[in-house]
Amino acid sequence: MELKNLMQNAGMVGAGGAGFPSYAKISGGLKTLLINGAECEPLLYTDYILLKNEMTYILTGIEAVADACGINECLLCIKLHTAKRLSLAEGEALSDKVKIKVLPDVYPIGDEVSLTYQATGRLIQPGTLPSTVGVIVYNVETMYNLGIALRLGKPVTHKWLTVGGETPHTYVVRVPIGVRVCDLFDRLGIKVPEGYSVIDGGPSMGKLIRYETAAVTKTTKGLLLLPDSCRAVESKRINERAAVARAETACCQCTRCTDMCPRHLLGFPLEPHKMVRTAMGAVEVMPVLITSATLCCGCGICENLACSQGISPKAVINNFKAILAKNKMRYTSTDTVSPAPEREYRMIPSVKWASDLGVAKYDTVPDIITEISDFKRLDIPLGRHIGAPSQPTVSDGDYVCEGDVIAAAAVGLSVPQHAPMAGRVTVLSDKIIIDRVEE
C-alpha cells in the first residue's frame, strides 16, 4: 500500500507507549478507526494542545488511514474534561467520516483494550489484537505526524511533549528528537533539586530517567519533575526482588487487587492476588502457570490504590513477564470472555487517581506552548521502538541536513531514523550523535 510505505519511510511509530511501527497496523477488513486522545495519565496535555492547535493536520492523517483501509467510521476519543475545554460534544462531526467520542474521566481509559470497549462496545479477547474486532487504534500525535508527512512531505524528526510537575510553568513544547533532557531543562530554566526525580512519560506508567544523559525519543509524551516523596516516584524506586519476597509473605489474599484490576473487570483471566501467592520457584520450572501475566497493562492500580498491605502485585507480575519473555511465551486461549457487571462502578475517577499518586497539585493546563529547535547536540536512538533497531547509513564525520536518512529500516518490523537538524554525525552502537556545525 502506498500509505503503508509512506508511514514506514517517514519513520512513524506510536507517539507514546512502546513505539509500535505505525505502518504495520494498516490492513484490510477493518471497520473502525479509533484515535486515542484520552491522555488518561495525570499531568499530560500534549494531545490536548495538538487537538486545540493542529486539528487540520490530525484530520488529514485520520482521513488518509480511513481511505487506505476502507473505513467509514472514525472516532476521535477524548475524555469529558478535554471535550469541555475544546467545546466538543459526543457525536459531533469533524468531517464526513470523523466524529467525537466522549469518554468518562476515569483511569486507565486510554489503555487500548479499555478504549476499544468503551468506544465501540467490542471487547478485544485476551491475547489478541484490536484488528480481530475490526478496530485500528492510533494516537493523536501519530495522526498529526501523518498529516505533516502528507501535507509537507516531512518525516518524523520532532516531538511534542508536556514538561511539568515541580516546574516554573507547565509547558507543551515541540523539540527535535534526540535533545538531551538536561539541555531542554536548561533552556526552560528548570533546575532539578536534591530529592527530586524526572519521569519520562506519565506518573503512573512512565519510567525514571537520568536526566543528565537521557534524551527525548519518538515515544516521549512528557517529562515530569516530581519529589521523591510522592507515591508516583516511590513506587518506581522499589527494589523489585525485595518487593516480590515481601509480597509472598505479607499478602492477606483480600483479592482487592484483582477486584479493581481494569483488565480483570473486562473479563480477562488476570488475577493479581493469585499471582502474588504463586511460588517463584515453581514458575521458573513451569512458566505456563503464569502466562496470564502478559495480559497486564501495567496501570499500577493494584499497587498504588488497591492493596491494603502496602505490597506490589505489579512488581510480582513484572517479574513473571520477564520469565515469560525469556521463554518466549505469552497468553493464548480460544475462550471468550465478557466484562463483569460491576465494571462501571469500579472505574477510578481521574482526580482520585492523581490524588493517590500525590501529583494532583501539579495538574494544571499548560500556560506556555513553544517550539525550541536550536540545540547544539542531539542523541538519536536506534532501537527505541518495537521491532529491529534501525541500521546506520552514515559514518563518523559525515555532514547531514535536516530530514536526511541517517539510519535505514532493518529487515522485518522496523523504521528508519532521520536527522532533526543539520550537523556532523558520530555513530555509536545504540545511537547516532549529531553536533551542530557553527557557521
Side-chain angles (χ1 to χ4, degrees), residues 10 27 30 37 77 89 99 102 137 154 156 158-159 170 173 222 352 377 387:
S27 66
L30 300 170
C77 304
K99 292 183 179 180
V102 178
V137 183
K154 293 185 176 181
V156 180
H158 287 64
K159 190 74 180 71
T170 299
V173 297
K352 175 173 176 48
R377 167 177 162 164

Side-chain angles (χ1 to χ4, degrees), residues 168-179:
H169 300 272
T170 299
Y171 312 82
V172 168
V173 297
R174 183 176 183 264
V175 296
I177 292 164
V179 62

